[in-house]
Structure formats: structure tokens, C-alpha cells
């Protein structure tokens, strides 16, 4: 049986600093699944070289939380037969609302609901969305949600990064 490697030590951390281990314990660890193409929402597992060959690459702490939220935001709720409560309800307002303003508000609510429902999120701090431009044919809305993880780390997710080529799930400074 293979054990997890220790979490990487943050740059500038003092000897004996166990903050990375605490973040891993609070926020989890998972297999890295990067976007296959910045213009798509598909993900693929990432391999890393080891001394004896290759192994699955891992993400932990805030990166694991942000990756999980990104996967949740691109998964239709109810489409996972093993966890019907997992996923995002944001497609409904994008498809059914004819008013861009109502579609934006419905999408904002769905993003907050998904982020706040994760037990690793302490609270949602801010959510911003630009006003619709009036282009009713466009179904693209860039929403940025800032939240605080249970570890106390601030994080920001930008839904505009999904399938647009921009970074998704950056950690706030």
C-alpha cells in the first residue's frame, strides 16, 4: 500500500511549521485533474515523475478545494448516480430565462449555493457579476466568488475561467 507523500512546505515556512499538514487535514487531498484545454471544461488526470517511475500527481489544501468546486460547477446536479446532490443548478437559469438580468441573478444564486454547501467553506465573503450587456444571444456570465475556507484561507473562484482560457480557482493573496 502506498502512503501519501508529505505536503510541500510553504516557501519561507519556519522549521516545525505544520500549517500545510493542517490545511491538508481540513481541506483534503485529491488527484490532480487539470483542464485538458483552456477552451473546454474536460479534465484529465496528471502524472508526475518519481524516483522509481511515475505516479498520480496530487493537489491538497486550498488547491484541492478549488479543484473540487470547479468540478462541481461543471457537473450538472443529479448526473452523478452515486451522489445525486452533487453538482450545479446554474444551467437552468441560463437556458430558461429570457431576461439576461434574471439569468444573471439565477446563476449568482446557484454559484453561492454550490460554494456555501461545501463543508470546507466557512463563509462566502463576496460575489460579483458584471451587468448584462444587453446581448440576449450571449449566455456567458463571468462571476467571481470570494470565500473563506474552514482553515481560514481566503480563496477566489472566477467562473469566467471555465472554458474561456483564463485561470480558474486562484488563491487570493
Amino acid at each position: 500500500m502506498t502512503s501519501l507523500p508529505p505536503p510541500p512546505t510553504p516557501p519561507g515556512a519556519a522549521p516545525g511549521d505544520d500549517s500545510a499538514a493542517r490545511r491538508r487535514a481540513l481541506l483534503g487531498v485529491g488527484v490532480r485533474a487539470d483542464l485538458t484545454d483552456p477552451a473546454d471544461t474536460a479534465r484529465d488526470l496528471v502524472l508526475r515523475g518519481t524516483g522509481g517511475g511515475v505516479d498520480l500527481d496530487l493537489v491538497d489544501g486550498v488547491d484541492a478545494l478549488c479543484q473540487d468546486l470547479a468540478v462541481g460547477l461543471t457537473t450538472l446536479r443529479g448526473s452523478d448516480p452515486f451522489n445525486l446532490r452533487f453538482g450545479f443548478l446554474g444551467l437552468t437559469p441560463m437556458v430558461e430565462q429570457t431576461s439576461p438580468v434574471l439569468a444573471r441573478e439565477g446563476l449568482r444564486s446557484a454559484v453561492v449555493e454550490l460554494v456555501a454547501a461545501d463543508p470546507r467553506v466557512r463563509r462566502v465573503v463576496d460575489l460579483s457579476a458584471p451587468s448584462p450587456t444587453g446581448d440576449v444571444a450571449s449566455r456567458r456570465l463571468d462571476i467571481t466568488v470570494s470565500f473563506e475556507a474552514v482553515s481560514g484561507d481566503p480563496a477566489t473562484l472566477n467562473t469566467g475561467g471555465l472554458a474561456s482560457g483564463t485561470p480558474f480557482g486562484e488563491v487570493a493573496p
Side-chain angles (χ1 to χ4, degrees):
M1 180 172 167
T2 304
S3 62
L4 289 174
T9 304
D17 181 6
D18 67 343
S19 61
R22 283 186 285 123
R23 280 190 183 88
R24 179 181 274 187
L26 287 171
L27 303 177
V29 60
V31 177
R32 177 178 295 280
D34 290 344
L35 291 170
T36 58
D37 186 296
D40 195 358
T41 58
R43 293 181 174 270
D44 199 2
L45 301 178
V46 177
L47 300 176
R48 63 179 164 84
T50 64
V54 294
D55 200 356
L56 293 171
D57 198 10
L58 301 175
V59 291
D60 60 4
V62 174
D63 291 338
L65 173 60
C66 288
Q67 178 178 285
D68 292 348
L69 292 173
V71 170
L73 286 169
T74 56
T75 302
L76 182 64
R77 182 172 293 172
S79 62
D80 181 354
F82 300 106
N83 185 1
L84 294 176
R85 296 191 57 166
F86 179 75
F88 187 52
L89 289 176
L91 292 180
T92 302
M94 295 290 285
V95 172
E96 293 182 355
Q97 285 296 334
T98 55
S99 165
V101 173
L102 293 178
R104 181 183 73 156
E105 294 306 313
L107 189 58
R108 287 170 48 120
S109 298
V111 170
V112 169
E113 178 188 356
L114 182 129
V115 172
D118 193 304
R120 298 170 292 176
V121 173
R122 179 176 292 156
R123 64 187 177 115
V124 174
V125 177
D126 188 32
L127 185 132
S128 65
S131 297
T133 59
D135 181 9
V136 295
S138 174
R139 291 295 182 195
R140 181 183 166 155
L141 294 171
D142 296 334
I143 294 178
T144 301
V145 60
S146 300
F147 59 94
E148 181 180 316
V150 293
S151 61
D153 295 309
T156 300
L157 294 177
N158 182 348
T159 61
L162 296 173
S164 69
T166 59
F168 183 85
E170 70 183 58
V171 178

